[in-house]
Amino acid sequence: MTSHLGLLVLFAVFVSIVFAALMRDEPREQLRFGARLLAGFVGAALVLSWLMYPLPL
Amino acid sequence: MRATAVERTQSTNPTLISIVAWMLPGAGHLWQGRVQKGVTFVVTLPVMFAFGLWLDGRLFPFEPSQPLVALAAFASLGNGIPFVIAKLLGFGQGVVTAASYEYGNTFLIVAGLLNMLVVLDAYDIALGRK
């Protein structure tokens, strides 16, 4: 798998799972917090990538 | 469940728990009765580490002359036994020309850093702070 987006999402999933388990005790809270983290990571990456899109390499 | 974990914690050396937690990601939580968290870490962190190897990432050597490489090596060392096994088996040589090389490095380094956070969490639990 060499899709940038796929690897980005996979990385965000791993980090979100670990942070959710570290910072919340109840499974339901972990799920909610992890989902918010994942959405934040992926959303921020997409926004930043589009902001950088016009910049020359 | 939690009471059992606290009782077990008070009779256990926090330093020993930290060492075990470093060696096997999640083992410190399992030892202290935090089964759900422990299983989450036992599964997630080694899988993330394995993905890093699969993506042709490199387990950097300790080179004090190159501070960033040494930092990456220190971070990867946070993976514990999976790091040692991978080194012994010759994995983690890194393929610089692979498209996923930098992704692999990131997975390997961040997996180690996350396990360091997990170790600190296990240490806090052992001290009764959490």
Side-chain angles (χ1 to χ4, degrees):
Chain A
M1 177 171 34
T2 54
S3 156
H4 293 281
L5 182 64
L7 291 174
L8 182 153
V9 172
L10 185 66
F11 180 81
V13 166
F14 282 127
V15 176
S16 300
I17 290 172
V18 174
F19 271 117
L22 274 176
M23 299 179 71
R24 296 290 186 270
D25 289 328
E26 299 301 322
R28 184 173 293 181
E29 290 178 7
Q30 290 176 355
L31 195 62
R32 194 175 302 163
F33 186 65
R36 283 173 56 194
L37 272 178
L38 178 62
F41 282 140
V42 176
L46 290 176
V47 169
L48 284 173
S49 59
W50 275 108
L51 285 176
M52 288 190 290
Y53 183 69
L55 300 177
L57 287 173
Chain B
M1 188 74 173
R2 191 58 58 86
T4 309
V6 171
E7 286 166 13
R8 200 172 302 167
T9 294
Q10 288 171 343
S11 62
T12 314
N13 185 346
T15 307
L16 183 61
I17 285 180
S18 301
I19 293 170
V20 171
W22 166 73
M23 290 172 68
L24 181 64
H29 286 78
L30 288 175
W31 188 350
Q32 298 179 89
R34 310 286 174 108
V35 178
Q36 187 262 332
K37 288 190 177 196
V39 170
T40 302
F41 299 137
V42 163
V43 172
T44 309
L45 292 172
V47 169
M48 188 177 186
F49 180 76
F51 260 103
L53 294 176
W54 182 62
L55 291 169
D56 293 318
R58 184 181 180 200
L59 294 171
F60 289 96
F62 284 94
E63 291 184 22
S65 60
Q66 296 182 318
L68 291 180
V69 173
L71 280 175
F74 178 72
S76 298
L77 192 60
N79 286 292
I81 285 180
F83 171 87
V84 177
I85 292 173
K87 274 283 191 189
L88 290 176
L89 293 177
F91 293 127
Q93 298 297 318
V95 181
V96 183
T97 53
S100 57
Y101 172 70
E102 294 293 349
Y103 287 102
N105 291 341
T106 306
F107 274 65
L108 293 172
I109 290 169
V110 173
L113 293 174
L114 286 173
N115 192 40
M116 290 181 189
L117 286 178
V118 170
V119 169
L120 289 175
D121 192 60
Y123 183 75
D124 277 344
I125 294 169
L127 289 178
R129 291 175 180 163
K130 296 182 95 177

